[in-house]
Amino acid sequence: MNELIKITKNKNNEQVVSARELHKILGVKTRFAEWWIQNSRLLIEHEDFEGVVTTTPYNPKFPDKVQQLQDYVVTADNAKHLAMQSQTKKSREIRDYFIACEKELKLQQLPMTLDQQIAAIATGYGSVKQELVEVQDKVTDLTERFGLPATNAAILNNTRNIHIIRFLGGKDSKAYHELGRKVFSEFGRDFKDNFGVPRYDAIPLSQYDEAIAYTKSWQPSYNTMISIRNTNMQMEFD
């Protein structure tokens, strides 16, 4: 729908128009002040209209020189009556335009159905959704490249420590004190070879769960397990 006249909203959320602009679009031959006096007698100020003062250049070629003009902000409902009272060729067209705008406003204020809400989200926020997807992809890419967040790396490290110390027989065991470094190094080599990373926290976040599972199921080599058993048995005999 083409805009015939600019419609705004007042503080009461009512549709309003400029009386001067309405007078101009109607093509009224009488001067604005005379037209207003003749047609606004039944209108109530502060209810149907508000008086305002506007400024406009005396001459478009000299925009710095302005004059003040009396104008009136009229509710669209009363503007319809002013249009019909003016009885110009534009009167009915403008009246119908106000009616169409009023209907459109009422439709906008109706609660949307679920299908309409989904459609509005899909059309109105499609670009936002796409931007969120792009941001998520970038975050995922950065995470894949820069390894585990500090919290996840700490959990993985703690899981490794608990698992290996248990194999050694606890922190008080002889194997822990004599073979601990060797067993930790063995685990480190196996872990790095399996995941193809230079250190524990360098694995991608997407492989975090796999890394935890691998750590919990890892076992030292057969020869290392024999060494752990024999070392701890020596402590018993001692």
Side-chain angles (χ1 to χ4, degrees), residues 70-119:
Q70 178 65 49
D71 196 0
Y72 304 92
V73 176
V74 188
T75 62
D77 192 45
N78 285 287
K80 285 187 294 185
H81 298 300
L82 291 174
M84 293 307 295
Q85 286 173 216
S86 300
Q87 297 181 354
T88 67
K89 293 180 180 180
K90 283 281 190 178
S91 292
R92 184 167 292 278
E93 182 183 358
I94 292 177
R95 169 187 170 274
D96 292 342
Y97 177 75
F98 284 133
I99 292 173
C101 290
E102 186 178 0
K103 288 181 179 178
E104 184 177 337
L105 178 63
K106 287 180 179 179
L107 286 174
Q108 291 174 358
Q109 293 175 339
L110 288 175
M112 289 191 295
T113 64
L114 180 59
D115 289 341
Q116 289 172 330
Q117 292 178 36
I118 294 173

Tab-separated table of all heavy atoms in Angstrom, residues 70-119:
chain	number	residue	atom	x	y	z
A	70	GLN	N	1.819	27.484	12.523
A	70	GLN	CA	0.913	26.780	13.421
A	70	GLN	C	0.402	25.522	12.717
A	70	GLN	O	-0.073	25.572	11.587
A	70	GLN	CB	-0.268	27.673	13.814
A	70	GLN	CG	-1.293	26.999	14.723
A	70	GLN	CD	-0.685	26.657	16.091
A	70	GLN	OE1	-0.061	27.498	16.727
A	70	GLN	NE2	-0.877	25.429	16.530
A	71	ASP	N	0.523	24.409	13.389
A	71	ASP	CA	0.013	23.147	12.839
A	71	ASP	C	-0.760	22.424	13.928
A	71	ASP	O	-0.766	22.847	15.094
A	71	ASP	CB	1.183	22.282	12.334
A	71	ASP	CG	0.722	21.147	11.415
A	71	ASP	OD1	-0.498	21.033	11.172
A	71	ASP	OD2	1.591	20.376	10.953
A	72	TYR	N	-1.417	21.332	13.545
A	72	TYR	CA	-2.208	20.555	14.496
A	72	TYR	C	-1.998	19.073	14.212
A	72	TYR	O	-2.035	18.632	13.060
A	72	TYR	CB	-3.695	20.904	14.386
A	72	TYR	CG	-3.963	22.377	14.579
A	72	TYR	CD1	-3.995	23.237	13.484
A	72	TYR	CD2	-4.154	22.916	15.851
A	72	TYR	CE1	-4.212	24.595	13.645
A	72	TYR	CE2	-4.373	24.276	16.026
A	72	TYR	CZ	-4.405	25.109	14.917
A	72	TYR	OH	-4.610	26.457	15.081
A	73	VAL	N	-1.755	18.326	15.274
A	73	VAL	CA	-1.628	16.873	15.151
A	73	VAL	C	-3.009	16.288	15.411
A	73	VAL	O	-3.545	16.375	16.521
A	73	VAL	CB	-0.602	16.317	16.162
A	73	VAL	CG1	-0.548	14.802	16.084
A	73	VAL	CG2	0.772	16.909	15.901
A	74	VAL	N	-3.600	15.685	14.380
A	74	VAL	CA	-4.988	15.214	14.437
A	74	VAL	C	-5.017	13.690	14.427
A	74	VAL	O	-4.248	13.054	13.697
A	74	VAL	CB	-5.784	15.740	13.226
A	74	VAL	CG1	-7.271	15.427	13.385
A	74	VAL	CG2	-5.575	17.230	13.054
A	75	THR	N	-5.891	13.115	15.239
A	75	THR	CA	-6.030	11.655	15.220
A	75	THR	C	-6.545	11.216	13.854
A	75	THR	O	-7.314	11.937	13.194
A	75	THR	CB	-6.994	11.169	16.307
A	75	THR	OG1	-8.297	11.710	16.069
A	75	THR	CG2	-6.526	11.578	17.691
A	76	ALA	N	-6.141	10.035	13.417
A	76	ALA	CA	-6.523	9.537	12.094
A	76	ALA	C	-8.034	9.416	11.965
A	76	ALA	O	-8.608	9.664	10.887
A	76	ALA	CB	-5.860	8.182	11.842
A	77	ASP	N	-8.694	9.058	13.047
A	77	ASP	CA	-10.148	8.914	13.008
A	77	ASP	C	-10.821	10.248	12.673
A	77	ASP	O	-11.754	10.315	11.859
A	77	ASP	CB	-10.646	8.390	14.357
A	77	ASP	CG	-12.102	7.949	14.304
A	77	ASP	OD1	-12.459	7.252	13.331
A	77	ASP	OD2	-12.876	8.311	15.210
A	78	ASN	N	-10.335	11.332	13.281
A	78	ASN	CA	-10.897	12.658	12.989
A	78	ASN	C	-10.402	13.196	11.656
A	78	ASN	O	-11.102	13.982	10.996
A	78	ASN	CB	-10.540	13.634	14.118
A	78	ASN	CG	-11.363	13.385	15.365
A	78	ASN	OD1	-12.556	13.686	15.414
A	78	ASN	ND2	-10.731	12.808	16.379
A	79	ALA	N	-9.234	12.778	11.233
A	79	ALA	CA	-8.720	13.186	9.932
A	79	ALA	C	-9.616	12.658	8.810
A	79	ALA	O	-9.779	13.318	7.771
A	79	ALA	CB	-7.291	12.686	9.752
A	80	LYS	N	-10.220	11.501	9.027
A	80	LYS	CA	-11.166	10.955	8.040
A	80	LYS	C	-12.333	11.926	7.845
A	80	LYS	O	-12.751	12.209	6.710
A	80	LYS	CB	-11.709	9.594	8.507
A	80	LYS	CG	-10.745	8.446	8.367
A	80	LYS	CD	-11.405	7.115	8.682
A	80	LYS	CE	-11.799	7.025	10.138
A	80	LYS	NZ	-12.346	5.702	10.500
A	81	HIS	N	-12.864	12.416	8.968
A	81	HIS	CA	-13.997	13.348	8.892
A	81	HIS	C	-13.584	14.660	8.231
A	81	HIS	O	-14.352	15.221	7.423
A	81	HIS	CB	-14.545	13.606	10.297
A	81	HIS	CG	-15.079	12.371	10.959
A	81	HIS	ND1	-16.105	11.630	10.435
A	81	HIS	CD2	-14.708	11.762	12.113
A	81	HIS	CE1	-16.353	10.595	11.238
A	81	HIS	NE2	-15.511	10.659	12.263
A	82	LEU	N	-12.374	15.147	8.564
A	82	LEU	CA	-11.898	16.381	7.937
A	82	LEU	C	-11.766	16.213	6.424
A	82	LEU	O	-12.093	17.133	5.647
A	82	LEU	CB	-10.544	16.784	8.526
A	82	LEU	CG	-10.552	17.266	9.983
A	82	LEU	CD1	-9.121	17.474	10.467
A	82	LEU	CD2	-11.338	18.573	10.125
A	83	ALA	N	-11.314	15.042	6.016
A	83	ALA	CA	-11.149	14.769	4.587
A	83	ALA	C	-12.494	14.803	3.865
A	83	ALA	O	-12.625	15.408	2.792
A	83	ALA	CB	-10.462	13.420	4.387
A	84	MET	N	-13.499	14.153	4.452
A	84	MET	CA	-14.808	14.100	3.793
A	84	MET	C	-15.503	15.463	3.818
A	84	MET	O	-16.203	15.846	2.879
A	84	MET	CB	-15.689	13.054	4.476
A	84	MET	CG	-15.187	11.617	4.292
A	84	MET	SD	-14.901	11.176	2.549
A	84	MET	CE	-16.586	11.261	1.904
A	85	GLN	N	-15.294	16.232	4.907
A	85	GLN	CA	-15.896	17.570	4.987
A	85	GLN	C	-15.313	18.510	3.933
A	85	GLN	O	-15.989	19.436	3.472
A	85	GLN	CB	-15.648	18.177	6.385
A	85	GLN	CG	-16.494	17.557	7.488
A	85	GLN	CD	-16.100	18.060	8.863
A	85	GLN	OE1	-16.120	17.334	9.835
A	85	GLN	NE2	-15.707	19.327	8.952
A	86	SER	N	-14.063	18.258	3.535
A	86	SER	CA	-13.398	19.147	2.573
A	86	SER	C	-13.959	19.002	1.162
A	86	SER	O	-13.851	19.929	0.347
A	86	SER	CB	-11.893	18.868	2.570
A	86	SER	OG	-11.350	19.095	3.856
A	87	GLN	N	-14.534	17.841	0.839
A	87	GLN	CA	-15.213	17.597	-0.441
A	87	GLN	C	-14.340	17.960	-1.650
A	87	GLN	O	-14.719	18.756	-2.512
A	87	GLN	CB	-16.542	18.371	-0.499
A	87	GLN	CG	-17.538	17.919	0.553
A	87	GLN	CD	-18.861	18.664	0.470
A	87	GLN	OE1	-19.021	19.610	-0.316
A	87	GLN	NE2	-19.834	18.262	1.266
A	88	THR	N	-13.137	17.363	-1.680
A	88	THR	CA	-12.271	17.527	-2.851
A	88	THR	C	-12.181	16.179	-3.572
A	88	THR	O	-12.706	15.164	-3.114
A	88	THR	CB	-10.853	17.967	-2.438
A	88	THR	OG1	-10.219	16.898	-1.724
A	88	THR	CG2	-10.905	19.205	-1.562
A	89	LYS	N	-11.493	16.169	-4.694
A	89	LYS	CA	-11.340	14.928	-5.457
A	89	LYS	C	-10.562	13.867	-4.677
A	89	LYS	O	-10.709	12.664	-4.931
A	89	LYS	CB	-10.614	15.230	-6.771
A	89	LYS	CG	-11.422	16.087	-7.735
A	89	LYS	CD	-10.648	16.340	-9.018
A	89	LYS	CE	-11.458	17.200	-9.984
A	89	LYS	NZ	-10.721	17.464	-11.248
A	90	LYS	N	-9.751	14.308	-3.738
A	90	LYS	CA	-8.925	13.385	-2.947
A	90	LYS	C	-9.615	12.917	-1.668
A	90	LYS	O	-9.095	12.036	-0.979
A	90	LYS	CB	-7.609	14.075	-2.565
A	90	LYS	CG	-6.583	14.156	-3.691
A	90	LYS	CD	-5.869	12.813	-3.840
A	90	LYS	CE	-4.685	12.915	-4.767
A	90	LYS	NZ	-3.967	11.627	-4.864
A	91	SER	N	-10.747	13.503	-1.330
A	91	SER	CA	-11.378	13.243	-0.033
A	91	SER	C	-11.641	11.759	0.214
A	91	SER	O	-11.242	11.199	1.237
A	91	SER	CB	-12.687	14.021	0.080
A	91	SER	OG	-12.437	15.405	0.155
A	92	ARG	N	-12.335	11.098	-0.699
A	92	ARG	CA	-12.683	9.687	-0.501
A	92	ARG	C	-11.439	8.797	-0.516
A	92	ARG	O	-11.354	7.837	0.255
A	92	ARG	CB	-13.685	9.231	-1.555
A	92	ARG	CG	-14.171	7.791	-1.366
A	92	ARG	CD	-15.375	7.490	-2.207
A	92	ARG	NE	-16.531	8.243	-1.745
A	92	ARG	CZ	-17.309	7.871	-0.728
A	92	ARG	NH1	-17.026	6.763	-0.052
A	92	ARG	NH2	-18.355	8.590	-0.382
A	93	GLU	N	-10.495	9.121	-1.378
A	93	GLU	CA	-9.267	8.315	-1.448
A	93	GLU	C	-8.517	8.360	-0.129
A	93	GLU	O	-8.032	7.329	0.368
A	93	GLU	CB	-8.376	8.831	-2.577
A	93	GLU	CG	-7.094	8.021	-2.761
A	93	GLU	CD	-6.191	8.602	-3.846
A	93	GLU	OE1	-6.581	9.607	-4.480
A	93	GLU	OE2	-5.080	8.062	-4.026
A	94	ILE	N	-8.430	9.560	0.455
A	94	ILE	CA	-7.714	9.685	1.728
A	94	ILE	C	-8.494	9.015	2.855
A	94	ILE	O	-7.908	8.366	3.734
A	94	ILE	CB	-7.455	11.175	2.039
A	94	ILE	CG1	-6.447	11.725	1.028
A	94	ILE	CG2	-6.935	11.358	3.453
A	94	ILE	CD1	-6.160	13.199	1.162
A	95	ARG	N	-9.820	9.161	2.833
A	95	ARG	CA	-10.647	8.487	3.846
A	95	ARG	C	-10.441	6.979	3.780
A	95	ARG	O	-10.239	6.314	4.808
A	95	ARG	CB	-12.118	8.816	3.599
A	95	ARG	CG	-13.088	7.955	4.427
A	95	ARG	CD	-14.519	8.228	3.990
A	95	ARG	NE	-15.441	7.277	4.585
A	95	ARG	CZ	-15.724	6.091	4.080
A	95	ARG	NH1	-15.113	5.691	2.954
A	95	ARG	NH2	-16.581	5.283	4.670
A	96	ASP	N	-10.456	6.407	2.574
A	96	ASP	CA	-10.262	4.965	2.413
A	96	ASP	C	-8.858	4.543	2.854
A	96	ASP	O	-8.660	3.444	3.378
A	96	ASP	CB	-10.487	4.560	0.954
A	96	ASP	CG	-11.943	4.719	0.527
A	96	ASP	OD1	-12.815	4.802	1.417
A	96	ASP	OD2	-12.203	4.760	-0.698
A	97	TYR	N	-7.902	5.441	2.634
A	97	TYR	CA	-6.524	5.152	3.047
A	97	TYR	C	-6.426	5.041	4.571
A	97	TYR	O	-5.800	4.119	5.101
A	97	TYR	CB	-5.589	6.248	2.543
A	97	TYR	CG	-4.154	6.088	2.985
A	97	TYR	CD1	-3.326	5.131	2.406
A	97	TYR	CD2	-3.620	6.905	3.986
A	97	TYR	CE1	-2.014	4.988	2.817
A	97	TYR	CE2	-2.310	6.763	4.398
A	97	TYR	CZ	-1.507	5.808	3.806
A	97	TYR	OH	-0.210	5.658	4.218
A	98	PHE	N	-7.081	5.965	5.273
A	98	PHE	CA	-7.083	5.913	6.743
A	98	PHE	C	-7.750	4.628	7.237
A	98	PHE	O	-7.295	3.999	8.199
A	98	PHE	CB	-7.807	7.125	7.318
A	98	PHE	CG	-7.002	8.391	7.276
A	98	PHE	CD1	-7.556	9.577	6.809
A	98	PHE	CD2	-5.689	8.410	7.699
A	98	PHE	CE1	-6.809	10.743	6.769
A	98	PHE	CE2	-4.940	9.580	7.662
A	98	PHE	CZ	-5.507	10.744	7.185
A	99	ILE	N	-8.836	4.239	6.601
A	99	ILE	CA	-9.547	3.014	6.994
A	99	ILE	C	-8.656	1.793	6.796
A	99	ILE	O	-8.587	0.899	7.650
A	99	ILE	CB	-10.860	2.867	6.194
A	99	ILE	CG1	-11.850	3.961	6.600
A	99	ILE	CG2	-11.482	1.490	6.421
A	99	ILE	CD1	-13.111	4.008	5.745
A	100	ALA	N	-7.937	1.752	5.655
A	100	ALA	CA	-7.044	0.627	5.373
A	100	ALA	C	-5.904	0.558	6.382
A	100	ALA	O	-5.533	-0.531	6.846
A	100	ALA	CB	-6.489	0.752	3.958
A	101	CYS	N	-5.353	1.716	6.754
A	101	CYS	CA	-4.271	1.754	7.740
A	101	CYS	C	-4.757	1.289	9.108
A	101	CYS	O	-4.040	0.600	9.848
A	101	CYS	CB	-3.689	3.164	7.847
A	101	CYS	SG	-2.742	3.671	6.392
A	102	GLU	N	-5.984	1.669	9.438
A	102	GLU	CA	-6.572	1.271	10.717
A	102	GLU	C	-6.753	-0.241	10.778
A	102	GLU	O	-6.468	-0.880	11.796
A	102	GLU	CB	-7.915	1.972	10.905
A	102	GLU	CG	-8.541	1.745	12.273
A	102	GLU	CD	-9.853	2.503	12.437
A	102	GLU	OE1	-10.271	3.203	11.494
A	102	GLU	OE2	-10.465	2.381	13.511
A	103	LYS	N	-7.214	-0.835	9.672
A	103	LYS	CA	-7.396	-2.291	9.620
A	103	LYS	C	-6.052	-3.016	9.737
A	103	LYS	O	-5.937	-4.024	10.428
A	103	LYS	CB	-8.082	-2.691	8.303
A	103	LYS	CG	-9.553	-2.315	8.231
A	103	LYS	CD	-10.160	-2.759	6.908
A	103	LYS	CE	-11.642	-2.409	6.824
A	103	LYS	NZ	-12.234	-2.803	5.520
A	104	GLU	N	-5.055	-2.476	9.060
A	104	GLU	CA	-3.723	-3.087	9.108
A	104	GLU	C	-3.160	-3.046	10.516
A	104	GLU	O	-2.550	-4.010	10.991
A	104	GLU	CB	-2.795	-2.350	8.149
A	104	GLU	CG	-1.405	-2.982	8.049
A	104	GLU	CD	-0.524	-2.275	7.031
A	104	GLU	OE1	-1.065	-1.620	6.119
A	104	GLU	OE2	0.710	-2.381	7.162
A	105	LEU	N	-3.386	-1.918	11.221
A	105	LEU	CA	-2.912	-1.800	12.596
A	105	LEU	C	-3.585	-2.816	13.505
A	105	LEU	O	-2.942	-3.445	14.348
A	105	LEU	CB	-3.166	-0.378	13.113
A	105	LEU	CG	-2.752	-0.115	14.566
A	105	LEU	CD1	-1.247	-0.284	14.728
A	105	LEU	CD2	-3.173	1.280	15.000
A	106	LYS	N	-4.889	-3.003	13.320
A	106	LYS	CA	-5.623	-3.963	14.145
A	106	LYS	C	-5.130	-5.388	13.903
A	106	LYS	O	-5.034	-6.188	14.838
A	106	LYS	CB	-7.119	-3.864	13.850
A	106	LYS	CG	-7.769	-2.614	14.411
A	106	LYS	CD	-9.261	-2.562	14.092
A	106	LYS	CE	-9.903	-1.308	14.683
A	106	LYS	NZ	-11.357	-1.222	14.359
A	107	LEU	N	-4.808	-5.698	12.655
A	107	LEU	CA	-4.289	-7.026	12.340
A	107	LEU	C	-2.935	-7.254	13.003
A	107	LEU	O	-2.636	-8.348	13.491
A	107	LEU	CB	-4.160	-7.198	10.820
A	107	LEU	CG	-5.456	-7.395	10.039
A	107	LEU	CD1	-5.178	-7.410	8.538
A	107	LEU	CD2	-6.149	-8.699	10.449
A	108	GLN	N	-2.114	-6.197	13.042
A	108	GLN	CA	-0.799	-6.305	13.661
A	108	GLN	C	-0.904	-6.525	15.166
A	108	GLN	O	-0.030	-7.145	15.776
A	108	GLN	CB	0.020	-5.046	13.389
A	108	GLN	CG	0.423	-4.884	11.932
A	108	GLN	CD	1.105	-3.549	11.680
A	108	GLN	OE1	1.236	-2.726	12.588
A	108	GLN	NE2	1.532	-3.314	10.444
A	109	GLN	N	-1.971	-6.035	15.761
A	109	GLN	CA	-2.135	-6.131	17.204
A	109	GLN	C	-2.767	-7.449	17.642
A	109	GLN	O	-2.784	-7.775	18.824
A	109	GLN	CB	-2.990	-4.966	17.714
A	109	GLN	CG	-2.297	-3.614	17.576
A	109	GLN	CD	-3.187	-2.444	17.956
A	109	GLN	OE1	-4.415	-2.572	17.960
A	109	GLN	NE2	-2.572	-1.313	18.258
A	110	LEU	N	-3.302	-8.234	16.677
A	110	LEU	CA	-3.904	-9.521	17.006
A	110	LEU	C	-2.811	-10.504	17.404
A	110	LEU	O	-1.720	-10.511	16.818
A	110	LEU	CB	-4.673	-10.082	15.806
A	110	LEU	CG	-5.988	-9.391	15.441
A	110	LEU	CD1	-6.549	-9.989	14.149
A	110	LEU	CD2	-7.010	-9.537	16.565
A	111	PRO	N	-3.062	-11.352	18.428
A	111	PRO	CA	-2.053	-12.355	18.808
A	111	PRO	C	-1.835	-13.340	17.671
A	111	PRO	O	-2.791	-13.795	17.024
A	111	PRO	CB	-2.678	-13.036	20.039
A	111	PRO	CG	-4.148	-12.777	19.924
A	111	PRO	CD	-4.282	-11.436	19.267
A	112	MET	N	-0.582	-13.670	17.417
A	112	MET	CA	-0.270	-14.589	16.326
A	112	MET	C	-0.494	-16.037	16.751
A	112	MET	O	-0.303	-16.390	17.923
A	112	MET	CB	1.185	-14.403	15.901
A	112	MET	CG	1.469	-13.109	15.180
A	112	MET	SD	3.128	-13.093	14.431
A	112	MET	CE	4.157	-13.150	15.897
A	113	THR	N	-0.899	-16.867	15.800
A	113	THR	CA	-0.985	-18.299	16.040
A	113	THR	C	0.422	-18.861	16.115
A	113	THR	O	1.400	-18.197	15.756
A	113	THR	CB	-1.754	-19.006	14.918
A	113	THR	OG1	-1.010	-18.855	13.685
A	113	THR	CG2	-3.140	-18.392	14.736
A	114	LEU	N	0.530	-20.112	16.557
A	114	LEU	CA	1.843	-20.743	16.650
A	114	LEU	C	2.515	-20.808	15.289
A	114	LEU	O	3.714	-20.528	15.157
A	114	LEU	CB	1.708	-22.152	17.234
A	114	LEU	CG	3.014	-22.953	17.383
A	114	LEU	CD1	3.989	-22.205	18.290
A	114	LEU	CD2	2.723	-24.339	17.931
A	115	ASP	N	1.741	-21.140	14.255
A	115	ASP	CA	2.301	-21.218	12.899
A	115	ASP	C	2.804	-19.851	12.439
A	115	ASP	O	3.854	-19.745	11.795
A	115	ASP	CB	1.248	-21.731	11.906
A	115	ASP	CG	0.939	-23.210	12.112
A	115	ASP	OD1	1.769	-23.891	12.755
A	115	ASP	OD2	-0.113	-23.679	11.643
A	116	GLN	N	2.050	-18.792	12.776
A	116	GLN	CA	2.463	-17.440	12.390
A	116	GLN	C	3.731	-17.021	13.132
A	116	GLN	O	4.600	-16.358	12.564
A	116	GLN	CB	1.339	-16.447	12.675
A	116	GLN	CG	0.140	-16.595	11.738
A	116	GLN	CD	-1.027	-15.727	12.172
A	116	GLN	OE1	-1.216	-15.460	13.361
A	116	GLN	NE2	-1.828	-15.296	11.212
A	117	GLN	N	3.828	-17.408	14.411
A	117	GLN	CA	5.024	-17.080	15.183
A	117	GLN	C	6.243	-17.774	14.599
A	117	GLN	O	7.317	-17.174	14.471
A	117	GLN	CB	4.842	-17.506	16.640
A	117	GLN	CG	3.788	-16.695	17.387
A	117	GLN	CD	3.608	-17.184	18.805
A	117	GLN	OE1	4.557	-17.594	19.460
A	117	GLN	NE2	2.389	-17.165	19.295
A	118	ILE	N	6.080	-19.037	14.220
A	118	ILE	CA	7.189	-19.787	13.629
A	118	ILE	C	7.597	-19.153	12.308
A	118	ILE	O	8.789	-19.001	12.018
A	118	ILE	CB	6.792	-21.264	13.424
A	118	ILE	CG1	6.588	-21.938	14.787
A	118	ILE	CG2	7.854	-22.000	12.602
A	118	ILE	CD1	6.038	-23.333	14.700
A	119	ALA	N	6.592	-18.759	11.502
A	119	ALA	CA	6.881	-18.133	10.213
A	119	ALA	C	7.605	-16.806	10.401
A	119	ALA	O	8.533	-16.479	9.665
A	119	ALA	CB	5.579	-17.927	9.437
